[in-house]
Every structure is written in C-alpha cells, then in structure tokens.
Amino acid sequence: MSTLQYPDDLRYTTDHEWVRDVGDGVVRVGITAYAQDALGDVVYVSLPTVGEDVAPGDSCGEVESTKSVSDIYAPLAGEVAAVNELLDATPELVNTDSYGDGWMYELKLADPSVLDGLMDAEAYQSQLD
C-alpha cells in the first residue's frame, strides 16, 4: 500500500498535477506526491511567466531532478497570475511539501466551470494502479 498522500480537497490530472481552487476563478497548481516521488530529488524548477496565457496541455515549465527533466503542463486554460518564487532558492520544497509550499503557479481560469472536469483524489489514485 502506498504511503503517498492525495488530499481530497484537490483536483488531479493524468499528467500528475494537482489543482486547488483558491477562489475568484483562480487555482493553484503543483505536482502530485506520485510525480515528485518518481522524479527524485528536485534541484531546479522553471516556471511560466506571470501574464502568460496557457491552454490545457501546454508545456509551461520544467522540473529538473537528479534523475531527469520533466515538463510541467497547464491543466486548464487561463492566464498565469502568480508563480512560487520560493522555488528559485529552495526547489526541494517540491519534494518536502508538494501540496503546500511546493506549489508552482496560480492560474486565473478562462472558464472556472472546467475545474469540475478534473479527477478527484479517488479517481486519480485508481488510475495510478
């Protein structure tokens, strides 16, 4: 049985990103415990630019670890509203607090209703097996 956690208050993508509704049509995006565990020790994170428009599936950044480099994909359409500048100096937050201080960016959604189309924690975990 996996010891990795998948909070019930988040939505998930098949690309192993999580999405948290922070209100006013804005969501916070990060990578799941599964993704950070598969990556290994994160040493560098490249994030999108504030003001950049993204579409679902767009590559909008990278996570570099001791094992590999992986793209970060936009889970939904919108405009990048903020990035987590803590990751510049401490990229390992992605490993140690992936659902907290290890978040990556915030997105002002073009259509907030699309959030309902993402997986809940149970559906995400079932597709990992």
Side-chain angles (χ1 to χ4, degrees), residues 13 15 17 29 46-48 52-62 70-80 105 107:
T13 73
D15 290 320
E17 277 115 13
V29 179
S46 170
L47 297 171
E52 180 179 342
D53 286 322
V54 297
D58 282 358
S59 176
C60 60
E62 291 181 338
S70 297
D71 285 330
I72 301 167
Y73 296 100
L76 302 164
E79 179 183 328
V80 177
Y105 63 96
L107 198 58

Side-chain angles (χ1 to χ4, degrees), residues 1 12 15 22 32 37 43 45 48-50 53-56 63 69 73 77 94 96 102 104 112-114 129:
M1 187 65 159
Y12 298 88
D15 290 320
V22 294
T32 67
D37 186 59
V43 296
V45 179
T49 304
V50 172
D53 286 322
V54 297
V63 178
V69 176
Y73 296 100
V94 173
T96 60
M104 299 198 168
S113 71
V114 298
D129 297 330

Side-chain angles (χ1 to χ4, degrees), residues 52-129:
E52 180 179 342
D53 286 322
V54 297
D58 282 358
S59 176
C60 60
E62 291 181 338
V63 178
E64 185 176 332
S65 71
T66 54
K67 292 181 183 180
S68 67
V69 176
S70 297
D71 285 330
I72 301 167
Y73 296 100
L76 302 164
E79 179 183 328
V80 177
V83 295
N84 185 353
E85 295 184 10
L86 288 175
L87 298 180
D88 285 341
T90 52
E92 63 273 9
L93 287 170
V94 173
N95 295 116
T96 60
D97 194 12
S98 62
Y99 299 114
D101 287 340
W103 65 276
M104 299 198 168
Y105 63 96
E106 291 184 347
L107 198 58
K108 176 75 172 167
L109 298 178
D111 178 3
S113 71
V114 298
L115 193 55
D116 294 334
L118 299 179
M119 292 181 281
D120 63 16
E122 185 178 338
Y124 176 71
Q125 288 178 80
S126 69
Q127 59 94 40
L128 292 177
D129 297 330

